Amino acid sequence: MSGYPIMLHLQDKPVAVVGGGRVAARKVERLLQAGARVFLISPEIAPAMREILDQGAFVWIQSKYQRDMFNDYMPVLVIAATDDERVNQTVAQDAHRIRALCNVANGSSMDSDFSNMAQINKPPLTVALSTGGKSPALLRALKAKLAEDIGEEYAILADWLGAYRECAQEVNGSQPARQALYQDVLNSDVLALLRDGKPEQARSVFQQIVQKGIAE
């Protein structure tokens, strides 16, 4: 069965992670990067999490998971990442009871509402990949190839396009005209100049294309 890929907006939203090991640590780190308010439930936590805990980045409920603990926090998203299958199933059941989305790490797809995708993060760009669970080896190979091919020049250009988006929307007020402007940028030497370490020249070419498009 194929899934429906989305990008969740979790800024300032409560998210619960149950488990304190390395898998939970990776989940907490990514959730914090997304701006979520993370509640971690576990009697112990991995050393990797103690430093960010000291910074007050998340709340640690130092306890084994007990039935209906989510009622006090009402998370919109729940990650079950313990090494106990029965606990993970209980977590999933409780998450569904409060209508929260739940993911059981390394668990049955029957307990999970979604699967995590392999990610390449070059802010503001995020590239997500999935083989639908068919081949983790292929997924790793694809991620490695794309991570090599997608350099920082793409992230820089994404920032520039975002900053000039309002200007681009003024181009004749039409979608085809805006698309033509974006294509002109992509067909230009902007990416090549950025890749060669010439940001000033790249910025100059970019601005010329945008200004020409607005003038037309």
Side-chain angles (χ1 to χ4, degrees):
M1 181 183 298
S2 61
Y4 185 78
I6 61 174
M7 177 77 78
L8 289 176
H9 297 165
L10 295 175
Q11 184 69 42
D12 296 326
K13 291 183 171 61
V15 176
V17 177
V18 182
R22 288 179 297 176
V23 172
R26 291 198 299 270
K27 306 294 185 183
V28 168
E29 181 179 9
R30 188 67 185 94
L31 288 165
L32 291 174
Q33 290 172 356
R37 291 190 290 116
V38 176
F39 299 86
L40 178 72
I41 303 173
S42 177
E44 300 293 338
I45 61 174
M49 282 193 276
R50 290 195 174 273
E51 183 175 346
I52 53 177
L53 174 65
D54 292 340
Q55 298 171 1
F58 65 91
V59 175
W60 178 22
I61 295 92
Q62 192 172 2
S63 168
K64 291 183 178 180
Y65 184 78
Q66 303 294 327
R67 175 69 77 175
D68 294 327
M69 287 184 76
F70 298 142
N71 293 350
D72 294 331
Y73 309 103
M74 295 304 292
V76 299
L77 181 70
V78 172
I79 306 292
T82 79
D83 55 6
D84 189 320
E85 183 178 348
R86 289 177 298 178
V87 172
N88 287 343
Q89 288 178 344
T90 299
V91 169
Q93 291 167 3
D94 287 355
H96 294 150
R97 191 173 293 113
I98 63 169
R99 301 182 183 278
L101 292 174
C102 181
N103 173 260
V104 179
N106 301 320
S108 167
S109 60
M110 297 296 293
D111 294 321
S112 295
D113 297 305
F114 64 94
S115 301
N116 288 298
M117 302 172 71
Q119 297 179 18
I120 300 169
N121 292 305
K122 295 181 182 291
L125 292 178
T126 298
V127 179
L129 304 167
S130 173
T131 60
K134 299 297 184 182
S135 178
L138 176 59
L139 189 60
R140 287 192 295 270
L142 285 171
K143 179 179 177 180
K145 176 174 176 53
L146 288 174
E148 183 177 345
D149 291 344
I150 301 174
E152 292 299 326
E153 65 272 13
Y154 287 94
I156 295 171
L157 181 56
D159 274 330
W160 290 357
L161 287 170
Y164 278 86
R165 189 175 182 183
E166 291 184 4
C167 294
Q169 289 175 340
E170 294 176 4
V171 181
N172 297 331
S174 68
Q175 181 67 16
R178 293 196 296 270
Q179 290 299 324
L181 185 149
Y182 296 141
Q183 196 59 51
D184 286 345
V185 171
L186 294 175
N187 290 339
S188 73
D189 294 331
V190 170
L191 283 171
L193 289 168
L194 286 171
R195 195 177 298 117
D196 291 341
K198 301 175 180 177
E200 293 183 1
Q201 294 181 40
R203 186 61 180 254
S204 177
V205 173
F206 177 81
Q207 290 177 330
Q208 289 175 19
I209 294 171
V210 171
Q211 291 168 0
K212 180 176 181 292
I214 293 174
E216 294 176 351

